[in-house]
Amino acid sequence: MIKLYDLSLQNDCRPSPFCWRTKFALAHKGLKWTEVPMGFTEKDKIAFAGSSTVPVLKDGETTVKDSWAIALHLDKAHTDQPLFKSEMALSYAHFVNGFVDTVVQPALFPIVVGDLYDRVRPADQAYFRESRGKRLGTTDFAAFQNKAREKGVAVFRGVLEPARRVLKAQPFLAGNHPAYPDYVLAGAFMWAGIVSSLVLLDGDDAVHAWRERMLDLYDGMARKALAA
Ligand SMILES: N[C@@H](CCC(=O)N[C@@H](CS)C(=O)NCC(=O)O)C(=O)O
């Protein structure tokens, strides 16, 4: 039995980009799992894992925290349908993981932070204001977002250029079939798409067509979450 601890916002919507990496990875491997929703201020639920962030995965007797560590664990513990088919595939995925963590998501955060705050559960708003306010230097997230959007959407599209070049040549970052590099980038789009109606991509962008393919995967798992 696999249990995934996932961040929950208002109406139990689940935008965590890191948890989406894990959900895609589990679906890729054909594994079944149940989810345990957790609010920002319900860290007691994941204290058993020694973690203050999600995803946390409980796989039988094994507990794993951190999305990258979870991906490595899944391939070791469940060898069918590998996420990483070679040492080189693993290295490429690791690179994309770092690229999304340090470039893509930081470009996205300022342009959706106001919308994100609006979706945080009332009980968690003070925590979000305090923690994200420190990071941004303001708690007026709506004004910060408005200002950030003046240039931020173009900046965001710009940072996607390395992915765009690959996706002009092939359907998925991993090649003809999706794998972990795709799940990592798709997680960032799920984060934004679940909390915000901001149009991030032009319709003729190769990244747009790829995102549609990602939304269709695994019986439309991600598309259903966006529509909810
Ligand atoms: N490096 C971690 C990052 C996980 C992370 O930052 N998760 C966010 C949710 S998107 C979280 O749990 N935040 C809790 C908080 O900010 O208090 C991973 O890849 O799992």
Side-chain angles (χ1 to χ4, degrees):
M1 164 65 96
I2 297 180
K3 239 190 218 179
L4 170 66
Y5 291 77
D6 188 8
L7 188 67
S8 173
L9 270 54
Q10 283 176 30
N11 303 320
D12 199 24
C13 74
R14 310 282 186 82
S16 165
F18 303 102
C19 293
W20 272 103
R21 296 177 193 182
T22 300
K23 289 180 229 182
F24 276 115
L26 288 163
H28 173 107
K29 296 183 78 67
L31 295 168
K32 297 240 174 306
W33 72 96
T34 57
E35 294 177 5
V36 183
M38 180 201 88
F40 276 108
T41 55
E42 295 179 323
K43 301 277 165 57
D44 51 304
K45 290 191 183 173
I46 52 171
F48 74 93
S51 183
S52 57
T53 60
V54 286
V56 162
L57 194 85
K58 189 135 181 19
D59 185 359
E61 291 307 303
T62 309
T63 296
V64 193
K65 58 179 176 177
D66 186 87
S67 57
W68 180 249
I70 290 170
L72 298 179
H73 160 80
L74 288 175
D75 256 13
K76 213 181 227 175
H78 309 272
T79 48
D80 281 356
Q81 294 163 72
L83 293 163
F84 314 113
K85 284 192 180 158
S86 67
E87 188 186 357
M88 202 187 292
L90 184 118
S91 301
Y92 172 44
H94 202 183
F95 177 83
V96 174
N97 201 72
F99 169 64
V100 173
D101 282 356
T102 61
V103 180
V104 177
Q105 290 181 182
L108 210 39
F109 183 62
I111 58 176
V112 298
V113 64
D115 293 344
L116 183 56
Y117 177 63
D118 288 344
R119 303 300 298 270
V120 169
R121 304 195 308 194
D124 298 331
Q125 280 170 356
Y127 169 81
F128 188 94
R129 266 199 313 278
E130 158 84 14
S131 57
R132 273 51 177 183
K134 255 190 214 143
R135 203 187 291 175
L136 297 177
T138 176
T139 53
D140 189 347
F141 301 122
F144 186 93
Q145 172 181 282
N146 279 343
K147 179 90 187 103
R149 283 184 184 180
E150 287 170 13
K151 293 195 177 134
V153 175
V155 169
F156 174 69
R157 290 177 183 179
V159 305
L160 292 174
E161 191 53 29
R164 185 173 295 113
R165 287 193 190 183
V166 174
L167 295 170
K168 277 182 184 165
Q170 59 192 50
F172 295 101
L173 292 176
N176 279 323
H177 303 282
Y180 205 70
D182 297 280
Y183 306 146
V184 174
L185 186 60
F189 280 102
M190 292 307 292
W191 182 39
I194 285 177
V195 299
S196 178
S197 57
L198 178 67
V199 175
L200 290 169
L201 299 168
D202 275 334
D204 62 356
D205 189 335
V207 183
H208 184 281
W210 163 86
R211 188 180 57 183
E212 292 299 306
R213 289 192 282 278
M214 296 306 294
L215 291 173
D216 288 337
L217 289 179
Y218 312 124
D219 203 21
M221 170 181 82
R223 197 180 290 284
K224 284 177 200 158
L226 272 190

